[in-house]
Amino acid sequence: MSPLQIKKGSNKHSAYNLRPTFSDVQEAHTITVLVENEPGVLARVIGLFSGRGYNIDSLTVAEVDHQGHLSRITIVTTGTPQVIEQIKAQLGRIVSVREVHDLTAEGASVERELALMKVTGSGEKRVEALRLADIFRANVVDSTLESFIFQLTGAPDKIDAFADLMRPLGLIQVARTGVAALARGQGQS
């Protein structure tokens, strides 16, 4: 009689894998949802998140097909892989939802955000703010004797880095649009 071959993860009392298959690692995911552009759809999508205690880090919505009455919702959220899968499944069950795509899991994507930042200061701080803006390719969209308003587009990390550098120079106000994202290549997601 041959010895019992026990699979990795099982033990001598059971042939089943008894190791937990879930992960407790929190990951940020960008999820896009194509929805019918009708009243209440955004409330249902957002209600799904709030009703289950999920957080939304970024949210953008815009009509993308006027003839087809379709809008695209881009959501950046954080959760374990199991939570992200549950969110996608629950979004797909909403009647007005046409497509759900997890751009983070599906491959390469392009993410951009627009930010406006007001910086006050004078003298060397003002000069340094302009120098950093040039490095980050931020545009001055308003200027007074006391302040600048910079416009910056790029990946969220770039905007965070610019804000961190501007804080000691007199950053007093920030407005951000939220992430807009598309999958790279031929895909439609």
Side-chain angles (χ1 to χ4, degrees):
M1 185 175 228
S2 65
L4 180 63
Q5 299 294 321
I6 298 176
K7 292 181 188 174
K8 192 171 193 163
S10 56
N11 62 30
K12 64 181 179 178
H13 301 292
S14 174
Y16 297 103
N17 186 355
L18 300 176
R19 289 190 180 147
T21 57
F22 58 88
S23 170
D24 59 352
V25 176
Q26 296 281 321
E27 302 172 341
H29 281 254
T30 302
I31 298 171
T32 60
V33 186
L34 190 65
V35 298
E36 296 172 13
N37 191 6
E38 58 187 35
V41 174
L42 180 60
R44 286 193 293 276
V45 169
I46 301 312
L48 182 146
F49 280 79
S50 65
R52 288 162 182 80
Y54 304 144
N55 190 38
I56 295 174
D57 299 327
S58 173
L59 172 71
T60 57
V61 183
E63 186 176 56
V64 293
D65 182 358
H66 187 69
Q67 297 294 331
H69 301 290
L70 296 175
S71 290
R72 181 183 181 94
I73 301 172
T74 305
I75 302 166
V76 178
T77 188
T78 305
T80 64
Q82 294 74 28
V83 166
I84 299 298
E85 288 303 317
Q86 185 178 19
I87 288 171
K88 292 188 305 189
Q90 290 169 346
L91 283 170
R93 288 188 204 114
I94 297 174
V95 173
S96 303
V97 170
R98 296 271 185 93
E99 296 176 12
V100 177
H101 295 280
D102 183 352
L103 296 182
T104 306
E106 291 177 10
S109 63
V110 176
E111 295 184 2
R112 292 292 181 263
E113 188 173 5
L114 171 86
L116 297 174
M117 298 186 193
K118 185 185 285 187
V119 179
T120 61
S122 60
E124 284 301 313
K125 285 188 175 184
R126 196 169 167 88
V127 172
E128 181 66 9
L130 285 171
R131 190 184 69 73
L132 287 171
D134 187 49
I135 291 169
F136 277 81
R137 296 184 183 147
N139 297 318
V140 177
V141 293
D142 184 62
S143 178
T144 68
L145 295 175
E146 300 85 29
S147 68
F148 290 113
I149 296 180
F150 295 108
Q151 174 184 302
L152 178 67
T153 57
D157 291 344
K158 176 184 176 182
I159 294 184
D160 291 339
F162 186 70
D164 290 343
L165 291 171
M166 286 295 163
R167 274 190 189 84
L169 300 176
L171 179 66
I172 59 169
Q173 212 170 7
V174 177
R176 294 174 79 155
T177 60
V179 173
L182 288 174
R184 293 190 66 204
Q186 297 292 326
Q188 292 283 328
S189 51

